[in-house]
Structures are given as C-alpha cells and as structure tokens.
Amino acid sequence: MTIGLATKTKTEAELEARANDALQAAIPWLDRKEIKHQLTFSFKLGHKSVKIDGSKVASRQGRVDILIERGKERIAILELKRPGAKLTKADIEQGLSYARVLHPRPPLVIVSNGAETHCYATHDGRLLSEGERDEVAFANLANAALKIAESDLKDAIGTLMGPSSDVWMAAVRAASRETLEALSGGWDAPLATFTNGFHFPRKATALVRNALRQTRRVIAIEGAPLVGKTHVAGELAIVTRNEADMAILFVEASGSAAVGIADEIARILGSALGWRISAEEARHWLQTLGNSDGPQLVVVIDGLGLEHEAIRLELEALTAQSSGQRLKFVIEADTAVIDRLWMGETRRKPTVFARRGTRVPVGTLDDQEFGQARRVMYESGTDFMQGADRAEEYRQPWLLQSMVAGVVTAPDRPVNASALLPPLLSLGVFEYTRERFVQDPLIEQAATFARAVIDDYQRNDRTPDLRLRALHSFLVRKDALRKHAKVDDLKAMVQSGLLGTTLDTDNRALMVGRMPELIASEVAREIAAELAKRIDKENDEEAARWFVRGLADLPMGDVIGAQAMIEAAQARSGLPLPFINHLLDRRPSIRPLKAGTKANMWVPEIGSLEMTVRDDGVVIMKAPGTPHRLELPADEVSVTYGDLDAWLILSHLASVPIGAYSVDEDRVVGLFDAAVLGLVGTSPIPLRRVPIDPERSGMHLHDAPDGASLVCSKEGIIEPITWSIFRFLDRHGEDADSWLVEACEQQSAPLLSRILIALNQLGSLEFDSAKAKWACEWRDDLVRPAFDIAMKGEPAAAG
C-alpha cells in the first residue's frame, strides 16, 4: 500500500520541510506543489510484495527512505539522514537498490543530511553534476532507468537483503509466508501440514520465543510424534511477523533441504524473491547477517530426521561462533532425533549442539490449550459432549483436526448446522477417515504399513521400552517393515508423509506412523480378514485369545478391535456366539500390588520409568540412570487393573446394533448389543484404556458395594460402555423401556450408575425435547431410586 505524508504534527512538518530543502538543492526545477512524499511504499521481489515503512527505518538507522512522486510519475528515492550525520556509501547503495527494484523505476537517487545533498543516476549509480540534473536531462535518465542490467538488479537485491537494510526482514517473512501457504489446505485436504481455520496457540511457542532472546544459537522443538511440534514451528513464524528484533525463515527438512541448508535457502530466496544466488552465496549471506548488530535471522528447520545427515553437518558449521550471535536455528524433530543430535550415537558425551543449544518440549494439549482448541472447533460448527476433557486421545491435535474435518466436509451436512461430537474416541473415527481417503494411493501404502504393524507388534523380541512407547504411536522397527516393503516403497511412504523416522534406546531406526487414523483403519481391515480366517480354521477360544492378545498393545486397540469384529462379521455373514462369549468371559480383574513388584512405564514427555514396590507398599518411580525418583504412598497406589482389553473392545462394539441370528430358525431373534451392554455395564472398575497422564485424564470416583468404583456423574461420559449405553437409549427411546426395567431389577450399582450418566446426557439434548423428557422421567422415577437401593440407601453418588 502507498500513502502520502500529511503534515499534521511538528515532527512531520519538519520532515517535509527538510525533504523539500533537499529536493530544492538536487532538482530545483521541480515544482514542490506537484509532488507527494511517500513514507510508505512497496515493491516486488520475485512474485512477493515487500512493504517499506520509512518511519520505522528512521528510528533504527538514522535515515528516512522517501519515494518522491509527481502525479503517477516516480521522480526519485530520497535518503534523508539526520542533520549532521555523515553520508556513507551504504546510504547511496541503499537508495540505488530501492530505485532499481521499483517498477517503474525512479531515475534519481538523492542523499542528503541537510548540509550536503548529492544526486545519483539510478541506472548506473553515477554522481550527477549540476548540468546533468535539469529537466531535459531528467527525461534521458528516466529512459536509461528502464534498461538496468540483470547483474545490477541482483546486486540491488543483495544490498537490500544485507544487514544495513530492513528489506531482508520483510523479504524473509514473505518467503516464509509462501512456504506456509504451500503447506496449508482446507478441511478437505488431509495431506496438508496445516489446516486453514484450525490454529490455536501453544505454550511451547512462547518458550521458544523467549529462548531466542537468550544466548543459545540452537533451539530444539522436541516431543513425541504428532503432538503438534510443526504447529509450534509454524506458529513461531506467524506470531513474530511484526517483531522488530527477529525474522523467521521457515524451511522444510523433508524437501530439497535434505541436500543442505544453504542449498534450500538459496532455492527459497530464488523462488520467492527472484534473488538467484548459489549455496555458497547463501551461506555467506547467513554469516553476514549473523555477525551484524541488527535484528536476528532465525532459520526454522521443520521435520529433521535421521536421514538428514547433510543438514546436521551444515548446522554444526553454521552454528559455530564465527557465524555470529544474530543467526539462530530452531529445529523441529522427535525427541529421539534430538537425543541423538545432543548426545551422539553413543549417548555418552554431549555434542556441540548440547553446548550451543537448548530444548523446548512439546507435549499433548494441556487443559488451557484444549480449551482454546475447542473454541476454534466451535467456530467451525463442532463441539464435544460432556466428558471430552477427560478423553486422553482428544489431547492429540491430529485427532481433533481429523474429527472436525469429517464433519465439515460431510456432503450431507446442512448449511450452518452444528455438530456435537462424541465425548471419547469412538468407531466414528473410521467413518470420517474412509470418507476422506477414497481411492487414494495412500491407502495402499497404509495397508502395507498396517501389515508390518501387526507382524512386528506380535513378535516377542521387542524390548519393554519399545513396547511401552508403541502403546501410543504406531512404531515399527525398520527391519520388520523391510519384510513387507521394498526400499523404493519405504521411501515413497516417507515422501508421502505417511511415515517418519525415529530411534529406539539402542539407536536403531524405527518407522513411526504420521497418519494414525488412516493406519488404524487399515490395521482394522487386516485384523478383520485374519480373524475371519481363524474363526473358520481354529476353535473359537483360540481365535478369541489371538484376537485380544494382538490388540492389547496397539494404539487405539479397543476401537480397532471393535471395527475389526464388525468387518469380520460382514465378511462371513456373522460371528459365532461362542467366540463373543469367550470375549465376555475375559472379565476385568483387580490385582493388588505386592511388595517386590517391578514394572516399566513410558511417559512421552519424560521417557522410560522404572517402578518398584517396597516392602511397606510405597511405590518408587525413577528414570533409568538418574538419581531422581518419585515416591507414592501405599494408600494411593495399592491395586492395578488387568484384563480390560476384551471388555473394552465389546464396549465399543455395543455402540452399534448387533442382531442375534438363529441358524435353526433362519432369522434374527433379538438384539445382542442389549445383552452385551447389560453384562459389560456391570464392570466394577472403570473401563478405560490406561492413560498416559493420570493427572490430566484421571477421574473422580465413588466407592460402591463389593469394592466397585463408580465414575462420578459430573465427569460426563468418559467410558466407552457408557457411550454405547447412551447410543442404545438414543437409538431406541421408548423401545428400550423393557431393557431399563431389567437393569433396575438387576440392582447392579455400576450398571445403574452408567445408565444414569447416559440419561443425564439424553435429558440435556435441546434438539429432541420429547426424548429428553422421556430420559428425565426414567432417570428420576425409576433408575435413580433403583440405584439408591443398589447403593444400600446411601446418597446417590452418581446423581
């Protein structure tokens, strides 16, 4: 945007008077009444527009850049320095560079400090004598300005990209903006790194900004796969766009940067700004800015992996002391990659990066970040039912994005309609995923990786550390994947974004799935096909044992299992009742923690932890190789829950109608999902997957008879079985009366507690007043009194 200088304040009036004096000295024939002083003007570098604000330049460099115009004609660039300030070669080069990149180009460059005024020709930089500055000569200079050589233009851009100019900051930001825009897409672009309309602040971004103002030259953004590290890197480029002391250049490690940082920076500057320089020239430019006393250049390298050895070597050179304190690097990578970068392959001695850098961890969304994400979701017409704040899976940004995308892109969604999403991870994730990936080449890649997942997860030679880490991310050892994919196929999976690389504790390569919803969908297909075969070949008990054991360690294993059962039933026209009964027989158990018990834990933000139970019942947790430890009193951790997997799978399965088919009668004789709900709902312990962070995703419980623990109703729906009960009651309404009567007569406090929570949710549905009324009547008149009886007259804990 171009604006004129309006003389309203004393400072502005003085500036205009000084500018007019300089013009009078340089080109006296120019009528002052016809001209405009443009403090703000813009020009194109390549296909990017760069805006110059003369007032900001003045405050930092002691000079004002002004574009002088007469009507639509550009006359001159005026470099106006403070009175008494020395005129330098840099002042002249700056003015000439501005003039040469403008289109159309002003033919004159005037440099003045009040006492001295000099006038230069734009096309060749020649100091003009008095006779060369009259109105006739001006026309010839204007024609010459149109014919500037390409080399002169490159030099002009080089000057503007130097530390004595503010242009480089605007240009770098423009280049980063182009990169981020190329990585962004709408809700219907599942492969996009960033989704337009789905941005919310992360606390780690503020920590990185603070670290950049300290002395360390390398800042690592680290964390587990898919926790939003790239979001932090992108947010950093966005929130610093108006910072006066730094500019961000965003670089993808997975692109051509794999050849080297300088090569990629040269490519970016050439593509975005039209500044064609070599890698060596780019390296010199970085070091020149790094050793200046102006704003700092921050190069953000996103997605650094084990395969990027060239980047690591160049980083080591560019972060040396000789590159200066004004050049800094931000690296985004998985924790395992940063561990190796910081400690080397042996992990025994700190590397130069450990001495030059600092690490900023990114975890799953905390309560405040999750609340901000929900506000962004609400703007897209989606929100969660009560209980979602306890769903640990929803603290993963990728899952929130995937679920909202499934709603926003639904072809039958009414205009301006709002959607209420399930309060926990459910079978709906497969529906969303398969609607988004239709006849997509990624499906075949995901199917190949899914087969490797099933194979590797069932092997007995995985270390305890790897097994624990792999509970929360699809992690496959590279040698296991090679049995299913050729080298070229593996490269294609990485290039498509389906897979990334990380390390185990022994520095061996692991492949990590970066599209969990698509991978989970294909794992479900593969397990369904294998389950159908096993049911036909083996006895039902063996098939059930294989089925549960194979799903216990998988990320999202409970919903994958339920989906696999649905697809296996569709493939073979049903599942045998004995098979389901074997799953029902695998009831959850409560196991006391005995003295001497030892176990391993994995916490994504911390790593591996060793747990030991002392003779007095106190639980000791510590990280291997460190003196720090945490002691938990015996009364806080006295039992563990086991054998949850089968009933968790059935909890999800019961969210859909299941017909009981009689072979003898050749017809459906009833709804089996009602029977599953009635039995699984009696579980005396909460049916949820083991959380990564008990502090964040824990729950309030109430004691019940026979040692049962009931989820407090104020938590909302946080168990899959309660969600399935809600779905059943919502689906059948008054037709579920007989099932509710049986449940009340059964007098199971856990079952009635879950039914009360489901009825509470149904009673709050504003869009179906008749059903809400029915739910409230059943809750208040029959279920709550029955629950009070089951609790032996105690106040209703679930009320």
Side-chain angles (χ1 to χ4, degrees):
M1 180 179 67
T2 303
I3 61 172
L5 175 64
T7 55
K8 294 182 179 180
T9 68
K10 180 179 179 181
T11 301
E12 291 170 340
E14 291 176 350
L15 183 60
E16 181 171 333
R18 289 178 54 215
N20 285 334
D21 289 343
L23 291 173
Q24 177 65 34
I27 42 178
W29 52 267
L30 187 65
D31 189 349
R32 305 296 170 269
K33 297 178 182 179
E34 297 179 353
I35 67 171
K36 292 183 295 184
H37 306 78
Q38 308 291 14
L39 269 178
T40 302
F41 55 93
S42 61
F43 55 86
K44 288 265 189 177
L45 283 183
H47 53 273
K48 286 297 176 184
S49 180
V50 177
K51 181 180 177 182
I52 298 300
D53 187 340
S55 61
K56 291 183 179 179
V57 175
S59 64
R60 287 195 295 270
Q61 300 180 356
R63 67 180 173 225
V64 180
D65 302 306
I66 306 175
L67 173 62
I68 305 300
E69 292 182 331
R70 179 174 60 181
K72 294 183 178 180
E73 182 184 19
R74 289 174 172 172
I75 303 297
I77 287 291
L78 172 59
E79 293 282 315
L80 192 60
K81 298 202 72 172
R82 293 192 183 101
K86 183 180 179 180
L87 299 181
T88 66
K89 182 180 178 181
D91 300 325
I92 302 167
E93 291 176 347
Q94 169 107 341
L96 289 170
S97 298
Y98 279 143
R100 288 170 178 172
V101 296
L102 285 168
H103 295 281
R105 299 184 181 99
L108 301 176
V109 172
I110 303 168
V111 182
S112 177
N113 62 4
E116 293 181 76
T117 300
H118 303 294
C119 190
Y120 299 86
T122 296
H123 70 285
D124 60 6
R126 178 168 46 88
L127 176 64
L128 298 174
S129 64
E130 186 174 341
E132 296 175 295
R133 287 181 271 144
D134 59 24
E135 193 165 4
V136 175
F138 177 81
N140 295 328
L141 292 170
N143 289 329
L146 299 175
K147 303 174 184 178
I148 291 178
E150 186 68 26
S151 59
D152 291 332
L153 183 59
K154 178 182 176 181
D155 291 342
I157 298 175
T159 298
L160 295 178
M161 293 294 288
S164 62
S165 168
D166 275 7
V167 171
W168 74 263
M169 296 182 72
V172 160
R173 287 166 178 163
S176 293
R177 188 178 295 110
E178 179 176 276
T179 301
L180 294 175
E181 287 172 355
L183 294 172
S184 301
W187 291 106
D188 58 348
L191 302 183
T193 302
F194 304 102
T195 299
N196 297 325
F198 190 66
H199 298 283
F200 50 90
R202 297 298 304 270
K203 292 180 178 178
T205 306
L207 297 176
V208 175
R209 292 176 71 182
N210 181 64
L212 285 170
R213 291 186 167 88
Q214 309 304 316
T215 58
R216 295 299 178 102
R217 296 190 292 280
V218 182
I219 293 89
I221 301 174
E222 63 168 314
L226 300 169
V227 295
K229 302 185 298 296
T230 293
H231 184 111
V232 172
E235 184 186 3
L236 182 68
I238 294 172
V239 300
T240 58
R241 282 178 180 171
N242 294 319
E243 298 280 345
D245 59 346
M246 71 175 69
I248 304 293
L249 182 61
F250 192 94
V251 177
E252 277 191 286
S254 59
S256 55
V259 178
I261 299 171
D263 292 85
E264 177 64 0
I265 289 176
R267 186 198 66 78
I268 290 173
L269 297 178
S271 173
L273 309 177
W275 189 27
R276 310 296 176 185
I277 59 175
S278 66
E280 187 57 39
E281 288 172 318
R283 199 172 289 111
H284 175 72
W285 174 70
L286 291 172
Q287 293 174 332
T288 299
L289 289 177
N291 284 289
S292 71
D293 57 0
Q296 62 183 7
L297 170 63
V298 179
V299 180
V300 174
I301 302 174
D302 180 61
L304 186 69
L306 301 175
E307 67 275 22
H308 300 135
E309 181 66 10
I311 295 180
R312 186 193 67 78
L313 293 173
E314 195 162 12
L315 266 176
E316 189 169 332
L318 289 173
T319 57
Q321 190 69 37
S322 59
S323 293
Q325 283 291 334
R326 311 309 292 170
L327 173 64
K328 293 185 178 179
F329 291 86
V330 174
I331 306 166
E332 181 277 309
D334 292 347
T335 295
V337 175
I338 299 301
D339 282 342
R340 183 164 177 174
L341 197 65
W342 248 241
M343 299 301 294
E345 292 189 23
T346 63
R347 304 198 183 197
R348 295 175 182 173
K349 183 179 179 181
T351 66
V352 294
F353 295 105
R355 297 190 292 273
R356 298 171 185 172
T358 187
R359 301 166 70 162
V360 176
V362 180
T364 52
L365 304 180
D366 65 18
D367 291 343
Q368 185 177 352
E369 291 170 329
F370 181 62
Q372 291 168 331
R374 289 187 68 171
R375 283 191 285 274
V376 172
M377 292 172 60
Y378 186 78
E379 293 173 0
S380 299
T382 57
D383 198 7
F384 289 116
M385 296 173 62
Q386 183 186 3
D389 56 336
R390 295 296 191 188
E392 191 167 61
E393 298 88 353
Y394 287 167
R395 300 308 177 100
Q396 298 278 0
W398 70 263
L399 182 56
L400 302 185
Q401 188 277 342
S402 180
M403 295 185 70
V404 177
V407 173
V408 173
T409 60
D412 56 348
R413 183 193 184 198
V415 179
N416 297 324
S418 297
L420 199 59
L421 297 173
L424 42 74
L425 184 65
S426 67
L427 291 173
V429 70
F430 298 106
E431 180 181 355
Y432 302 145
T433 300
R434 292 176 182 181
E435 287 178 353
R436 297 178 72 195
F437 294 92
V438 179
Q439 295 181 343
D440 193 302
L442 276 170
I443 296 176
E444 184 177 349
Q445 292 183 0
T448 299
F449 185 64
R451 289 188 284 272
V453 166
I454 296 169
D455 178 29
D456 202 30
Y457 273 62
Q458 291 181 351
R459 286 167 58 177
N460 296 322
D461 58 346
R462 293 190 305 158
T463 64
D465 180 79
L466 176 56
R467 290 186 63 188
L468 289 167
R469 288 177 63 186
L471 286 171
H472 308 294
S473 299
F474 289 106
L475 290 173
V476 172
R477 289 171 291 188
K478 196 170 185 178
D479 63 338
L481 182 56
R482 287 194 181 115
K483 296 178 182 178
H484 298 268
K486 298 178 181 178
V487 174
D488 290 344
D489 296 330
L490 199 156
K491 288 182 179 178
M493 292 180 188
V494 173
Q495 290 172 353
S496 69
L498 180 74
L499 301 184
T501 56
T502 186
L503 290 172
D504 66 12
T505 52
D506 295 321
N507 280 327
R508 289 176 297 199
L510 299 173
M511 308 307 297
V512 55
R514 294 196 173 278
M515 296 182 186
E517 70 276 35
L518 179 58
I519 295 168
S521 174
E522 294 308 306
V523 169
R525 291 189 204 271
E526 296 293 330
I527 291 179
E530 180 64 20
L531 176 61
K533 293 178 184 177
R534 286 179 177 264
I535 288 176
D536 291 335
K537 292 181 179 180
E538 302 174 352
N539 65 56
D540 297 311
E541 184 176 2
E542 289 177 351
R545 187 182 302 112
W546 168 86
F547 183 64
V548 174
R549 185 175 63 245
L551 290 160
D553 291 344
L554 281 174
M556 305 165 61
D558 46 355
V559 287
I560 289 174
Q563 182 67 23
M565 288 183 68
I566 293 172
E567 295 183 28
Q570 292 170 342
R572 59 184 311 282
S573 300
L575 295 174
L577 185 60
F579 170 78
I580 297 179
N581 284 336
H582 282 300
L583 297 182
L584 289 169
D585 288 341
R586 299 174 72 96
R587 294 171 175 266
S589 60
I590 302 175
R591 303 170 183 173
L593 275 177
K594 298 180 181 179
T597 299
K598 294 185 177 181
N600 291 322
M601 301 175 61
W602 175 266
V603 181
E605 287 85 10
I606 300 175
S608 181
L609 293 177
E610 296 173 346
M611 185 189 80
T612 305
V613 182
R614 286 194 326 216
D615 292 341
D616 58 0
V618 172
V619 176
I620 308 296
M621 288 193 295
K622 66 185 294 290
T626 67
H628 308 293
R629 66 182 192 173
L630 175 66
E631 296 187 5
L632 300 177
D635 57 349
E636 287 189 15
V637 188
S638 57
V639 298
T640 61
Y641 298 149
D643 301 319
L644 299 177
D645 303 292
W647 277 32
L648 272 172
I649 293 169
L650 292 171
S651 294
H652 287 286
L653 180 68
S655 66
V656 298
I658 307 172
Y661 180 80
S662 171
V663 176
D664 295 336
E665 300 181 33
D666 192 24
R667 67 184 182 90
V668 176
V669 296
L671 291 176
F672 194 70
D673 51 313
V676 172
L677 293 173
L679 179 57
V680 176
T682 63
S683 171
I685 60 178
L687 288 175
R688 302 175 72 207
R689 292 206 92 189
V690 178
I692 301 174
D693 185 352
E695 290 293 328
R696 186 185 300 167
S697 58
M699 53 195 159
H700 295 97
L701 301 175
H702 297 288
D703 294 332
D706 302 320
S709 297
L710 311 182
V711 174
C712 178
S713 68
K714 293 180 181 179
E715 298 283 8
I717 296 178
I718 65 173
E719 296 178 276
I721 185 60
T722 309
W723 168 244
S724 293
I725 292 172
F726 169 87
R727 295 261 296 170
F728 176 80
L729 297 177
D730 182 41
R731 192 163 55 241
H732 294 285
E734 293 182 358
D735 292 336
D737 286 357
S738 59
W739 183 83
L740 287 170
V741 169
E742 289 183 19
C744 291
E745 292 174 348
Q746 193 174 345
Q747 293 188 2
S748 165
L751 176 60
L752 291 171
S753 172
R754 292 178 171 111
I755 293 173
L756 278 174
I757 293 174
L759 289 172
N760 280 340
Q761 290 281 6
L762 274 175
S764 64
L765 296 179
E766 297 179 359
F767 54 84
D768 193 340
S769 57
K771 188 173 291 180
K773 181 181 179 183
W774 168 83
C776 291
E777 288 175 351
W778 263 99
R779 178 193 63 197
D780 298 336
D781 298 342
L782 291 170
V783 179
R784 191 184 300 279
F787 175 77
D788 289 340
I789 293 173
M791 293 289 288
K792 298 186 174 163
E794 296 178 10

